[in-house]
């Protein structure tokens, strides 16, 4: 088809997946690559099946999954349209929370605290801290579309950063600290390095202080994501992300 790039098949070496899942992911990759841009109408079923080299029944099944997940919308008389804000990839990709939640939307990181404090049980548990030393602490409210969508608290040990990732330590003291999360600056400084993250997700309530920061009552339910980011096996950052009701969906992709 003129003007469209070829949709690539799944590269060899990946684990075998069900055909509908593989087709689903091919189409998601094509959308993210711009083959089918946000807001565009997908070709008709026969034409799309020919472009992808698949049967129409298989294509219909993948299209149903794409619609269920909000990647495409279907309107009578219009057809299948690629969503303007397709769901972002989940936590299998290490990504700053403001970008993960706000992809395609207006995002503002509002600094609440940029300071150093004595180690807490949480930071001591998750970071390598020198005896008697201080830990860097940041607190930020992530606003999406002008509304508070996440309260982020982050901890890092300066000594570890200076030793393993001095560019990040320098960035945390620079002007970008007022407009970004600690993780965002850490990932920018550590491009190309084997940074990994692990997270746990629990249901809880906001509590009085977090509720006040997010403009909600203390008893409001919320989702708390605890995250640790490492370089090889050494933890560089520990964080808590509190998401109130109404926050953008946080996708968690899973595969076996």
């Amino acid at each position: 088809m003129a003007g469209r790039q070829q949709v690539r098949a799944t590269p060899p070496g990946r684990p075998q997946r069900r055909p509908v899942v593989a087709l689903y992911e091919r189409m998601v990759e094509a959308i993210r690559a711009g083959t089918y841009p946000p807001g565009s109408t997908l070709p008709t079923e026969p034409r799309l099946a020919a472009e992808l080299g698949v049967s129409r029944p298989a294509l219909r099944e993948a299209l149903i999954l794409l619609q269920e997940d909000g990647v495409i919308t279907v309107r009578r008389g219009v057809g299948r349209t690629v969503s303007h804000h397709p769901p972002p990839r989940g936590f299998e990709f290490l990504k700053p929370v403001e970008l993960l939640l706000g992809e395609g939307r207006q995002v503002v990181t509002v600094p609440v605290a940029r300071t150093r404090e004595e180690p807490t049980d949480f930071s001591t548990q998750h970071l390598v801290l020198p005896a008697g030393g201080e830990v860097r602490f940041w607190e930020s409210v992530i606003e999406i579309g002008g509304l508070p969508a996440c309260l982020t608290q982050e901890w890092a040990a300066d000594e570890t950063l200076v030793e393993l990732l001095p560019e990040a330590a320098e960035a945390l003291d620079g002007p970008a600290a007022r407009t970004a999360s600690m993780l965002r600056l850490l990932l920018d400084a550590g491009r190309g390095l084997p940074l990994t993250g692990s997270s746990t997700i629990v249901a809880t309530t906001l509590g009085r202080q977090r509720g006040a920061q997010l403009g909600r009552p203390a008893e409001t339910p919320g989702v708390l994501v605890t995250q640790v980011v490492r370089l090889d096996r050494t933890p560089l950052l520990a964080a808590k992300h509190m998401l109130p009701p109404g926050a953008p969906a946080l996708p968690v992709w899973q595969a076996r």
Side-chain angles (χ1 to χ4, degrees), residues 142-228:
I142 310 299
E143 294 185 354
I144 298 178
L147 298 175
C150 179
L151 176 66
T152 291
Q153 298 172 317
E154 300 169 294
W155 292 263
D158 284 339
E159 291 81 355
T160 304
L161 289 180
V162 170
E163 178 182 354
L164 298 180
L165 196 51
E167 296 86 352
E170 183 177 348
L172 296 185
D173 288 322
R178 303 295 300 175
T179 58
S181 68
M182 191 183 293
L183 178 56
R184 185 169 186 172
L185 299 182
L186 187 70
L187 292 178
D188 286 344
R191 292 183 185 277
L193 295 179
L195 296 173
T196 59
S198 59
S199 300
T200 58
I201 303 175
V202 298
T204 183
T205 56
L206 300 186
R208 182 180 59 81
Q209 182 173 346
R210 287 170 171 164
Q213 291 171 303
L214 292 168
R216 306 293 182 88
E219 64 275 11
T220 302
V223 172
L224 179 64
V225 179
T226 300
Q227 184 178 43
V228 178

Side-chain angles (χ1 to χ4, degrees), residues 35-210:
T35 304
Y36 308 112
S40 66
T41 300
L42 291 178
T44 62
E45 271 190 28
R47 193 167 188 174
L48 188 56
E51 287 184 15
L52 297 171
V54 297
S55 68
R56 290 181 64 181
L59 175 62
R60 286 195 199 103
E61 190 175 354
L63 289 170
I64 290 172
L65 296 178
L66 291 168
Q67 182 182 356
E68 289 177 352
D69 292 350
V71 179
I72 63 174
T73 58
V74 180
R75 293 174 56 192
R76 186 181 299 274
V78 177
R80 297 180 176 91
T81 303
V82 179
S83 299
H84 284 283
H85 303 298
R89 295 282 190 174
F91 269 6
E92 85 280 29
F93 294 98
L94 188 55
K95 193 172 186 180
V97 67
E98 62 263 47
L99 299 185
L100 182 62
L101 293 174
E103 188 168 294
R105 304 176 179 88
Q106 180 184 6
V107 182
V108 177
T109 301
V110 180
V112 177
R114 298 288 188 268
T115 185
R116 289 174 174 81
E117 65 178 22
E118 293 184 2
T120 62
D121 288 344
F122 178 81
S123 58
T124 301
Q125 176 185 356
H126 293 289
L127 299 173
V128 178
L129 302 176
E134 293 183 325
V135 61
R136 188 187 292 263
F137 171 70
W138 285 16
E139 189 171 44
S140 309
V141 173
I142 310 299
E143 294 185 354
I144 298 178
L147 298 175
C150 179
L151 176 66
T152 291
Q153 298 172 317
E154 300 169 294
W155 292 263
D158 284 339
E159 291 81 355
T160 304
L161 289 180
V162 170
E163 178 182 354
L164 298 180
L165 196 51
E167 296 86 352
E170 183 177 348
L172 296 185
D173 288 322
R178 303 295 300 175
T179 58
S181 68
M182 191 183 293
L183 178 56
R184 185 169 186 172
L185 299 182
L186 187 70
L187 292 178
D188 286 344
R191 292 183 185 277
L193 295 179
L195 296 173
T196 59
S198 59
S199 300
T200 58
I201 303 175
V202 298
T204 183
T205 56
L206 300 186
R208 182 180 59 81
Q209 182 173 346
R210 287 170 171 164

